[in-house]
Every structure is written in structure tokens, then in C-alpha cells.
């Protein structure tokens, strides 16, 4: 926690790390407070029952010692290192009250302060425990296959890169790997926040913690248990939680000078009051001022919220790297979206087929697929996806920069770009394809052009919905892409984006981001290496689909682990809500100090009352901060079935 608070971990570096409490009653401070509370009640009852005075006094002393043990030793150690904090104020107040004979008051202070310290510790431990619980998603044993396909169970820690791992239906994947045999649907909800299972087959990557569906998979291990995706996520979040956001830094800037300032103020009250009036009265008031001005609520106002919010974000598939990133994300007003891989699926698809009279679109596709089956061109995958079982082709040759030639069923076939092949009667259709942002290829059979095929990297099915929601939430949305203007404009119209910047190099994207930042806080959302300069230039860089991508996770401020673009507005809304909670906490803490100091200085409130109000307010701040840990998962999204469609209303 904050140094100013003085509530940070007091363990020396050589002390063994203690296991974080899983339940509130496991927190040392809360257990001590419970004992101190029982002793205080015992002393109160003994006094009211007419027991001898030493009995009630002994109970109060015991309560003071038990409660004070939770913070006084740590305060002394920090003082020895030249550090002061709220614990210093509380210790001075408790000692002063004791010297004045108010042991019961001092015991009440120690009791309430130990409660607030315990609840603070529990709130932080609970959010950290929720994050580290991700590691429990992986099984502790895995089945590996030997060279003779024999099966044996090995401990998770004994898995080595290169091992062949057998994942049966319903089992969780033990660590990251690549599918070498089998096909199944994997539930990645715990990792990416996406509820729709993802198909995985030969050559596809799978990640630790994913739940296998109905198929059996043979997976080649690519990372050890200590270095898999889940372990990286937890390690990065825990490391980056130390990064302080602007609000937290503001709280610390206020709290750090406040502590010595209050000590000076209390000393002035005690000295000046003693010279002008009753010394005992003014010393008591000075002690009350010390407690009233304690900035611990202020110091923990933001950290508790940050820890809770980051832990919650990880459960919805958003890796937020520290308080600075969280607060920055909550302040964003402009979003610059990369096209390929962010707004689109980075999977080219056949969107239109034109055929001349007497020829069917199916025949055009089949002939094109026959040639593309021998090609490594990016368009080949799209055409082959439309025709899974193309006819065989012979003598297929690639013409550099133009297309393919070959023979199918005795017919001479050429497939290539307009210009290399004449469009002829299909000129209007080819123009319509290009105006729609598609790449058009022509098919020639026996010297006659018989068809044209349009291929385009389509928008994600949820893209238009996401952009509409961003606009409704008050964000300015722009598209940045290195693609040509026609393609960019066509896709932007479908997505509902008005600001379009096309034909951009990486440095151009960075320059545009710099101009956008000059008007309002800007985030860049991208997925590729070419987006790196823009991600670095933006106030907040957001990596899309970063699961298993080391570079994206390490370089971006926020990483959306899944492929569902709906997580973007969800993460933004979560960050804005968390930022609002931070502001509420800081405002409440400052208002409390402002009100209590004069009331304490003029004797309106006594020590017990101030302690009670102050610690109750601190508990309120903690409780409000923990609210940032509440998130709702996205409802399932079923993408519409992809179909080959016709552009411009022309007949196929």
C-alpha cells in the first residue's frame, strides 16, 4: 500500500513470505481486533457491574496491547528507517492518551485501527487471490504419449517442451501447445472472457486452462507450466500493479506532506494552548487532531480500487497493466482502430462471384479453386474455403505479379488480376467489386473470360455493433489502415466509422495519433507489429487478440486476450466506472479530514468519537473500492453464417 499510509507490508526482506488469507477471519489484524474487542467489552461490563477498578483497567490494558501489536511494531521499524506514516500518528495518539490516564480511549483507538488495517489487508488479498486463482484452472497432472503411443501421467511441473500431451473430452489443457492430431471445440472463457467455444484442429494453438469439448486432441507442448499463458498473465499483472496511476500519485502527493504537517500542527496546538490555557486540555486536543487528520483513507483510496479493478478486468479477458493504464483507459475519449485483424478477422473471404451468360458461379469457383490448390497466395485460402473439394488441376504455373495458369479437365484455365486478363462483359461488375473494397480476380477458360471473384477481409460480425456502442458512449472513433482508400472507405461505411485514414505507413499512423492526442486523450487499438509505433504514441495502447502473443502483452498498456471486439467497450466502461470510484474515494477522504480537523482542534469531538468516525470512513472507502471488482461477463455472441453474396444487385 502507500508509503504515506504507513500501512504497507512491514515484513523485513529476510522474513518468509506468508500465505495470503483466503477468508476474513484468517487476517492477523482482524483476529487481534476481535480479541481486543472482547477485552474492551469485558472491561466495560466489569466497570458497570461494580467490579474492582483494577479489573476494568486490566482489560483495557490487555485490549490496548493486543490491538497495538498490529501496528506499533511496524511503526517503530519504519521510524528506524526514517519513514513516518499514519501508523506514527496513531502510535503517538495511543501513547499520549495512555500517559494522560485515558487507557480505555487508547484501547478503543487500537481496536478500531486494527480493524481497518485488517479489512484493508483482506480486500487486497481477496483481489489478488482471485487473480492467482487463474493458475488453479490447469490440472496438476497431464497424460503424455510415449514414442510407442503408450500413455502415462506426469506432474504438471514435469512437462517439457516437445512432449506429446493427450487431452480427452472434458479435460482442461495443462499448458500451451499446438494440436498435432484430432479436432475439437475449446472453451477459453476463463482466459479470454469469450463464452463461444473455439474450433481447434491440426496446427492450431491451444492455451493452458482451456476446456476441451467432445473431441480428443494430441497436443505438442510449447511452454512449461512456469511459462505458459496463464502464468504470464498473472506475473505481468502482479508486476504491473506496482505502477501507480495519476490518481494514486495524487493521493500520495497529498498524503506524504500531510503526515508531517499534521504532526507540526498538533505540536503547535499543544504548545500554544498550554501557554494560553489548560495544558492537559490542549494536549488532549492535539492528540485528537493527530487522529482526525490521519490520511490513511486517502492513501488507500486509489490502490484498493486499482487492485480490485485490475483483478476484475482479467476475468473478462482484459489484461490491464497497472494503475496508470487503468486510469488512462478510463480517461480516453478518442479511439483509433486498426483495420486488419482488429475491425476485420484477417481472414479473406469470397464475397461475390460474377459469371457470364451460360456459366454458373459454382463452375467459376470450382475452376479457380483447382488452380489455387497449388498456390501459396493469400487469396488461395479464401477461394479454397468456398470450394473445399476442388477438381484436380495439371501443369499449374504461377505468373509473377499476374496470376496462375493450368489445365482442368482438359480445359486451359487462367486466373489473375484485371489488366492481365481483360474484363470484357464483366467490366461493370469488376468495378463494383473494387468500389466495395474487394480484390477482384478474373477467370478465363479456353481463352474466354467467364467469371470474376471478389475477395475481401470482412468485418468482424460484431464490429458495427461495437462502433455504434462506442459512439453512444461518447467516443470519437477513427480507422487507421495501410490498405487502399477504396477498401478502407467501404469497410468504414459498413462499420459506421466516419473518420478514415488509409494508405498509411507505420510512421504515418503514429503521426495521426499524435494529432488526435492534441485534442483529447486517445487510445490506439491494433494487433500487428506495424501498429507498434502508434501503440507507443497513444495515451493508451490496446492490443487486440493478444492471447499467446508475447510482444503484444509486453508492449501494450492493455491487452484484450480474446477475439471478440465487444470486449473493447466493456473494458472501457469498466475503466471509466473504476476511475469514478477512485475520484469518489479521494473526495470523501479529503472532505473527512477537512471537517474533522477543526472539530477536533476546538474540542467539539473527543478522541473516541474521532477514532470511530475516521475508521468507519476508512472502512467505507475500502468497501467502495472493492466495488470496482464487480464485472458482468458478456452474453454469448453467435456470428452469422458466412455466405457468398452478390454486389451491386447484379445477377450471378
Amino acid at each position: 500500500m502507500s508509503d504515506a499510509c504507513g500501512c504497507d507490508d512491514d515484513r523485513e526482506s529476510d522474513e518468509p513470505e506468508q500465505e495470503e488469507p483466503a477468508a476474513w477471519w484468517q487476517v492477523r489484524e482482524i483476529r487481534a481486533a476481535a480479541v481486543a474487542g472482547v477485552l474492551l467489552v469485558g472491561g466495560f461490563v466489569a466497570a458497570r457491574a461494580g467490579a474492582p477498578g483494577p479489573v476494568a483497567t486490566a482489560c483495557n490494558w490487555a485490549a490496548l496491547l493486543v490491538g497495538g501489536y498490529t501496528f506499533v511494531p511496524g511503526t517503530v521499524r519504519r521510524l528506524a528507517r526514517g519513514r513516518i506514516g499514519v501508523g506514527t500518528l496513531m502510535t503517538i495518539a495511543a501513547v499520549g492518551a495512555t500517559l494522560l490516564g485515558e487507557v480505555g480511549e487508547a484501547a478503543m483507538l487500537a481496536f478500531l485501527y486494527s480493524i481497518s488495517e485488517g479489512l484493508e489487508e483482506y480486500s487486497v488479498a481477496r483481489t489478488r487471490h482471485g487473480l492467482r486463482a487463474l493458475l488453479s484452472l490447469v490440472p496438476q497432472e497431464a497424460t503424455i504419449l510415449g514414442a510407442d503411443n503408450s500413455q502415462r501421467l506426469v506432474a504438471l511441473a514435469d512437462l517439457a517442451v516437445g512432449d506429446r500431451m493427450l487431452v480427452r473430452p472434458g479435460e482442461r489443457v495443462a499448458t500451451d501447445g499446438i494440436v498435432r492430431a484430432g479436432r475439437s471445440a475449446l472453451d477459453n472463457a476463463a482466459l479470454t472472457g469469450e463464452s463461444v467455444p473455439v474450433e481447434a484442429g491440426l496446427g492450431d494453438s491451444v492455451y493452458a486452462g482451456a476446456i476441451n469439448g467432445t473431441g480428443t486432441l494430441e497436443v505438442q507442448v510449447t511452454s512449461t507450466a512456469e511459462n505458459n499463458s496463464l502464468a504470464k498473465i498473472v506475473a505481468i499483472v502482479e508486476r504491473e500493479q506496482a505502477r501507480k496511476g495519476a490518481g494514486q500519485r495524487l493521493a500520495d502527493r497529498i498524503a506524504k506532506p500531510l503526515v508531517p504537517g499534521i504532526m507540526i500542527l498538533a505540536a503547535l496546538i499543544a504548545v500554544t494552548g498550554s501557554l494560553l490555557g489548560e495544558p492537559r486540555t490542549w494536549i488532549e486536543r492535539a492528540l485528537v487532531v493527530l487522529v482526525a487528520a490521519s490520511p490513511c483513507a486517502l492513501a488507500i483510496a486509489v490502490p484498493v480500487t486499482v487492485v480490485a479493478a485490475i483483478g476484475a478486468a482479467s476475468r473478462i479477458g482484459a489484461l490491464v497493466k497497472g494503475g496508470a493504464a487503468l486510469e488512462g483507459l478510463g480517461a480516453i475519449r478518442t479511439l483509433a482502430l486498426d483495420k486488419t485483424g482488429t475491425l476485420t478477422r484477417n481472414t479473406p473471404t469470397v464475397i461475390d462471384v460474377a459469371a457470364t451468360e451460360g456459366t454458373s458461379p459454382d463452375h467459376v469457383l470450382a475452376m479457380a479453386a483447382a488452380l489455387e490448390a497449388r498456390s501459396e497466395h493469400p487469396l488461395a485460402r479464401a477461394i479454397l474455403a468456398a470450394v473445399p473439394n476442388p477438381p484436380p488441376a495439371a501443369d499449374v504455373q504461377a505468373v509473377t505479379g499476374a496470376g496462375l495458369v493450368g489445365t482442368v479437365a482438359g480445359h486451359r484455365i487462367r486466373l489473375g488480376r484485371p489488366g492481365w486478363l481483360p474484363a470484357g462483359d464483366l467490366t461493370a461488375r469488376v468495378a463494383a467489386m473494387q468500389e466495395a473494397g474487394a480484390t477482384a480476380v478474373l477467370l478465363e477458360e479456353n481463352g474466354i473470360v467467364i467469371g470474376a471473384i471478389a475477395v475481401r477481409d470482412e468485418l468482424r460480425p460484431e464490429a458495427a455493433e461495437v462502433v455504434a456502442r462506442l459512439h453512444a458512449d461518447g467516443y470519437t472513433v477513427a480507422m487507421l489502415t495501410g490498405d487502399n482508400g477504396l477498401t478502407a472507405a467501404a469497410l468504414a461505411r459498413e462499420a459506421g466509422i466516419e473518420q478514415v485514414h488509409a494508405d498509411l505507413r507505420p510512421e504515418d499512423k503514429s503521426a495521426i495519433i499524435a494529432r488526435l492526442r492534441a485534442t483529447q486523450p486517445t487510445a490506439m487499438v491494433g494487433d500487428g507489429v506495424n501498429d507498434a509505433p502508434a501503440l507507443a504514441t497513444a495515451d493508451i495502447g490496446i492490443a487486440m487478440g493478444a492471447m499467446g502473443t508475447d510482444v503484444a502483452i509486453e508492449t501494450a498498456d492493455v491487452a484484450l486476450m480474446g477475439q471478440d471486439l465487444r470486449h473493447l467497450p466493456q473494458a472501457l466502461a469498466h475503466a471509466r466506472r473504476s476511475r469514478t470510484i477512485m475520484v469518489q474515494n479521494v473526495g470523501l477522504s479529503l472532505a473527512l479530514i477537512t471537517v474533522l480537523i477543526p472539530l477536533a482542534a476546538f474540542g467539539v469531538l473527543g478522541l473516541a468519537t474521532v477514532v470511530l468516525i475516521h475508521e468507519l470512513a476508512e472502512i467505507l472507502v475500502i468497501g467502495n473500492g472493492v466495488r470496482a471488482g464487480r464485472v458482468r461477463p458478456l452474453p454469448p455472441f453467435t456470428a452469422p453464417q458466412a455466405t457468398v453474396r452478390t454486389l451491386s444487385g447484379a445477377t450471378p
Side-chain angles (χ1 to χ4, degrees), residues 253-438:
R253 286 199 300 269
I254 296 172
K256 284 184 177 180
L258 186 60
V259 172
I262 291 303
M263 295 177 68
I264 295 173
L265 174 62
L268 290 174
I269 292 173
V271 173
T272 304
S274 298
L275 294 175
L276 301 177
E278 174 62 35
R280 179 183 177 89
T281 299
W282 286 99
I283 291 174
E284 289 180 349
R285 291 181 182 180
L287 294 174
V288 177
V289 168
L290 286 176
V291 178
S294 298
C296 203
L298 172 65
I300 68 172
V302 175
V304 169
T305 308
V306 167
V307 174
I310 290 177
S314 69
R315 298 196 298 272
I316 58 173
L319 178 61
V320 182
K321 300 176 65 174
L326 179 69
E327 291 192 48
L329 188 63
I332 292 298
R333 303 312 308 156
T334 296
L335 287 162
L337 306 177
D338 174 52
K339 180 183 73 68
T340 305
T342 301
L343 285 169
T344 69
R345 293 174 289 194
N346 199 20
T347 305
T349 304
V350 175
I351 65 169
D352 187 25
V353 180
T356 58
E357 186 175 355
T359 306
S360 71
D362 289 342
H363 179 74
V364 173
L365 274 175
M367 294 297 101
L371 297 186
E372 293 287 20
R374 305 288 186 89
S375 173
E376 299 295 330
H377 194 276
L379 297 183
R381 181 179 296 182
I383 295 174
L384 290 172
V387 186
N389 298 303
D395 302 325
V396 178
Q397 296 180 354
V399 180
T400 304
L404 299 169
V405 297
T407 302
V408 182
H411 298 275
R412 192 63 175 171
I413 305 296
R414 291 203 299 170
L415 179 72
R417 62 176 178 81
W420 183 57
L421 296 176
D425 295 340
L426 296 176
T427 299
R429 292 292 304 279
V430 170
M433 292 174 177
Q434 294 174 331
E435 289 175 2

Side-chain angles (χ1 to χ4, degrees), residues 81-112:
R81 299 194 296 267
R83 297 166 56 191
I84 61 175
V86 175
T88 308
L89 302 183
M90 294 298 180
T91 301
I92 294 174
V95 171
T98 302
L99 293 175
L100 294 173
E102 302 291 343
V103 179
E105 299 278 335
M108 180 63 70
L109 183 152
F111 164 67
L112 293 172

Side-chain angles (χ1 to χ4, degrees), residues 134 186-196 198 207 230 233 313-318 545-548 559-564 567 570 634:
L134 287 174
L186 296 173
D187 182 355
N188 290 315
L191 309 175
T192 66
E194 298 175 359
S195 57
V196 178
V198 177
Y207 305 110
L230 276 179
I233 291 172
S314 69
R315 298 196 298 272
I316 58 173
M547 190 65 200
L560 303 180
M561 311 308 291
Q563 295 292 336
D564 192 340
H567 286 299
Q570 184 189 30
L634 288 175

Side-chain angles (χ1 to χ4, degrees), residues 443-464:
L443 182 77
E444 182 188 84
E445 184 176 10
N446 297 326
I448 301 173
V449 172
I450 62 171
I453 302 172
V455 178
R456 192 174 72 177
D457 187 12
E458 290 285 79
L459 286 175
R460 297 178 184 271
E462 73 277 13

Side-chain angles (χ1 to χ4, degrees), residues 17-34:
E17 185 176 355
Q18 299 177 9
E19 185 177 353
E20 291 185 337
W24 64 268
W25 49 265
Q26 294 177 324
V27 180
R28 176 177 64 92
E29 290 85 354
I30 292 180
R31 292 200 299 263

Side-chain angles (χ1 to χ4, degrees), residues 450-533:
I450 62 171
I453 302 172
V455 178
R456 192 174 72 177
D457 187 12
E458 290 285 79
L459 286 175
R460 297 178 184 271
E462 73 277 13
E465 173 191 334
V466 168
V467 172
R469 179 177 172 183
L470 292 173
H471 283 149
D473 291 340
Y475 293 100
T476 300
V477 182
M479 174 194 289
L480 275 60
T481 179
D483 213 338
N484 66 81
L486 283 176
T487 300
L491 290 174
R493 284 194 300 269
E494 291 187 28
I497 299 174
E498 296 180 354
Q499 291 190 37
V500 182
H501 305 272
D503 297 305
L504 302 177
R505 296 171 297 176
E507 57 267 32
D508 299 328
K509 291 184 179 181
S510 180
I512 291 173
I513 291 293
R515 291 202 299 269
L516 293 174
R517 287 185 62 194
T519 57
Q520 51 188 4
T522 300
M524 173 67 192
V525 186
D527 74 319
V529 176
N530 64 321
D531 298 321

Side-chain angles (χ1 to χ4, degrees), residues 29-30 32-38 40 63-64 66-68 70-71 105-117 611 615:
E29 290 85 354
I30 292 180
V35 174
V38 171
L40 276 173
L64 173 60
V66 172
T70 63
F71 64 93
E105 299 278 335
M108 180 63 70
L109 183 152
F111 164 67
L112 293 172
Y113 189 61
S114 60
I115 289 179
S116 66
E117 288 286 272
V611 169
E615 301 307 326

